[in-house]
Amino acid sequence: MFSARYADVFDGNPRWNALESPDAETYPWEEESTYIQEPPFLTAVTREPAPLAAIRGARCLAVLADSVTTDHISPAGDIPEDGPAGRWLVAHGVPRAQFNSFGSRRGNDRVMTRGTFPHLRLRNHLAPGTEGGVTEFLPTGERMSIFDAAERYRGAGVPLIVLAGKEYGTGSSRDWAAKGTLLLGVRAVIAESYERIHRSNLVGMGVLPLEFQPDQSRTTLGLSGRETYEVRGIEGRIEPRATLTVAAADDDGRVTEFRVRCRVDTPVEAEYFRHGGILPYVLRKLLAKA
């Protein structure tokens, strides 16, 4: 029965065989595609990684409470028409009835980055009284989508962080929860604790997971998230599980310094992070053998 069923598996069927396919060794990316785009993770990789430097002048993109899940960070469900991803699809000629879902468009970073932190029940304490992917663009006090704020920070060359509570990234393992965080320009997350796979995924994408000391939190330290942040102790080389210093300066010039645990847990993870993530690390290894 098995042999009969699969005897002609490589012959396909008339509909499959009628599909056009390019005769090329690499995939010809189509700029107009709303499903598949060339991912940006390796487009600017150099043969050698840049030296690690302190994170300076960082602003907070989101201040989150406990048990923020990977579904809060990167939902797989319906794409809201009035959100950044929905507006992008409409601008590219996709009618609402054909939006499909974030899960179906995970091959398009333009959609998925706009779909990072958009969950309808996400509460960002930088924008109290709101739900969904809303934040405050701190230099002007304007409220806008997290994606739009991230783009404005990127244009100004400002690195970003996220402050969170316990069990950050809990729930199902979802790679775009870390990928989208990176593509928004987030350099570090400071949380009270992490779900283990999401912590690993952050490191794998070159985002630094930091952990408050056991007796501390954003609340006990009096951090509002409106401060300007500096992460020290990663210059040149990062040591697994090292104790680092974070300095948060408010608008009045008061500086709160506190210690955090670096949750890059192993020497191998430290190498991934030094290279900017596992993908540049692997590519450089391959280039070294070429």
Side-chain angles (χ1 to χ4, degrees):
M1 178 174 144
F2 179 89
S3 297
R5 176 75 68 178
Y6 289 95
D8 60 352
V9 66
F10 292 109
D11 296 333
N13 58 63
R15 293 182 65 185
W16 178 262
N17 293 336
L19 294 175
E20 294 184 9
S21 60
D23 184 15
E25 293 186 2
T26 58
Y27 183 79
W29 305 103
E30 298 178 12
E31 186 59 34
E32 67 273 13
S33 174
T34 59
Y35 273 99
I36 301 175
Q37 287 290 343
E38 181 179 10
F41 306 113
L42 298 175
T43 55
V45 173
T46 57
R47 280 191 170 267
E48 295 295 329
L52 290 176
I55 301 171
R56 293 189 173 92
R59 302 308 297 261
C60 193
L61 187 62
V63 176
L64 307 172
D66 297 341
S67 301
V68 170
T69 70
T70 51
D71 195 56
H72 286 106
I73 303 168
S74 183
D78 290 345
I79 301 174
E81 187 172 9
D82 60 351
R87 292 195 294 270
W88 186 89
L89 288 171
V90 169
H92 286 76
V94 180
R96 177 68 185 89
Q98 296 178 18
F99 274 15
N100 214 321
S101 65
F102 283 115
S104 70
R105 293 188 182 270
R106 59 189 294 112
N108 189 327
D109 63 278
R110 283 74 159 171
V111 173
M112 297 304 291
T113 305
R114 288 168 171 81
T116 304
F117 295 112
H119 196 281
L120 294 176
R121 294 293 175 262
L122 183 75
R123 294 183 178 180
N124 181 1
H125 293 277
L126 283 180
T130 68
E131 286 186 320
V134 181
T135 194
E136 181 179 309
F137 182 65
L138 297 170
T140 64
E142 297 171 82
R143 286 191 177 183
M144 60 187 68
S145 75
I146 283 178
F147 173 79
D148 290 337
E151 287 295 285
R152 290 183 66 171
Y153 284 121
R154 186 194 312 279
V158 175
L160 299 172
I161 67 165
V162 169
L163 295 180
K166 299 179 179 68
E167 300 177 343
Y168 183 73
T170 191
S172 61
S173 174
R174 193 163 294 170
D175 58 340
W176 266 105
K179 290 176 179 176
T181 298
L182 169 71
L183 293 182
L184 285 176
V186 174
R187 298 281 306 281
V189 177
I190 309 176
E192 292 179 58
S193 63
Y194 292 87
E195 191 278 332
R196 64 182 183 86
I197 299 177
H198 185 61
R199 180 209 62 80
S200 177
N201 286 347
L202 288 173
V203 175
M205 294 312 302
V207 178
L208 183 62
L210 302 173
E211 202 167 80
F212 288 108
Q213 295 294 309
D215 59 341
Q216 292 182 337
S217 68
R218 175 184 71 86
T219 304
T220 64
L221 290 166
L223 302 174
S224 68
R226 290 179 165 78
E227 302 85 1
T228 300
Y229 287 81
E230 181 175 323
V231 180
R232 306 167 186 158
I234 61 174
E235 299 88 339
R237 177 178 176 81
I238 196 164
E239 296 294 336
R241 299 187 70 84
T243 299
L244 307 178
T245 299
V246 177
D250 66 19
D251 291 339
D252 295 326
R254 290 187 296 268
V255 177
T256 301
E257 286 195 4
F258 56 98
R259 308 286 270 175
V260 293
R261 173 64 53 84
C262 170
R263 288 304 313 274
V264 175
D265 285 356
T266 67
V268 171
E269 286 188 342
E271 269 297 279
Y272 293 161
F273 186 81
R274 185 175 73 87
H275 281 265
I278 192 170
L279 296 176
Y281 171 84
V282 171
L283 178 59
R284 289 187 178 110
K285 290 293 184 183
L286 293 174
L287 290 173
K289 295 178 180 179

